[in-house]
Amino acid sequence: MAFVVTENCIKCKYTDCVAVCPADAFYEGPNFLAISPIDCIDCGLCVPECPAEAIYQEDELPEDQKEFTELNAELALVWPRIVEVKPAPTDADSWNGVANKLKLIET
């Protein structure tokens, strides 16, 4: 079972989670991060590091976030790997907790 980045990461894209990932399983898009289910070793270290609380164990995903399992897998195949913390977008805090952001994801 892998961990999955969900909707609240969109436009927040805090990268605190990247620093603790021993498997380098994170991939970076323009305004979202994805976890590769191939690379993820199911350690869970990323979960408490996410200020947006956007990372879940695959089998604990809220029902309305299930589509992010496939989305993470697809995006991790095309986006570059991220292994270092980067500054969050300047407006990240204003997007944290905003609902219905899926349409805003940039691929």
Side-chain angles (χ1 to χ4, degrees):
M1 234 9 95
F3 281 81
V4 178
V5 180
T6 59
E7 184 174 42
N8 202 42
C9 181
I10 299 170
K11 295 191 77 66
C12 291
K13 200 175 95 169
Y14 303 107
T15 58
D16 307 58
C17 51
V18 171
V20 298
C21 181
D24 294 337
F26 282 89
Y27 291 78
E28 179 185 25
N31 66 352
F32 183 68
L33 297 176
I35 296 174
S36 166
I38 297 166
D39 299 330
C40 181
I41 59 170
D42 196 30
C43 69
L45 292 173
C46 55
V47 176
E49 298 302 318
C50 180
E53 299 179 355
I55 303 173
Y56 291 84
Q57 172 104 38
E58 185 177 352
D59 62 356
E60 295 177 1
L61 277 167
E63 197 59 41
D64 66 341
Q65 301 293 301
K66 298 258 184 209
E67 64 192 301
F68 281 89
T69 300
E70 186 174 325
L71 186 60
N72 274 243
E74 291 172 3
L75 296 173
L77 292 174
V78 295
W79 283 350
R81 188 182 308 264
I82 178 173
V83 295
E84 294 181 358
V85 174
K86 295 180 178 180
T90 55
D91 62 347
D93 291 342
S94 67
W95 285 102
N96 192 353
V98 174
N100 302 314
K101 296 191 287 185
L102 183 57
K103 63 185 174 284
L104 302 174
I105 197 168
E106 296 174 27
T107 56

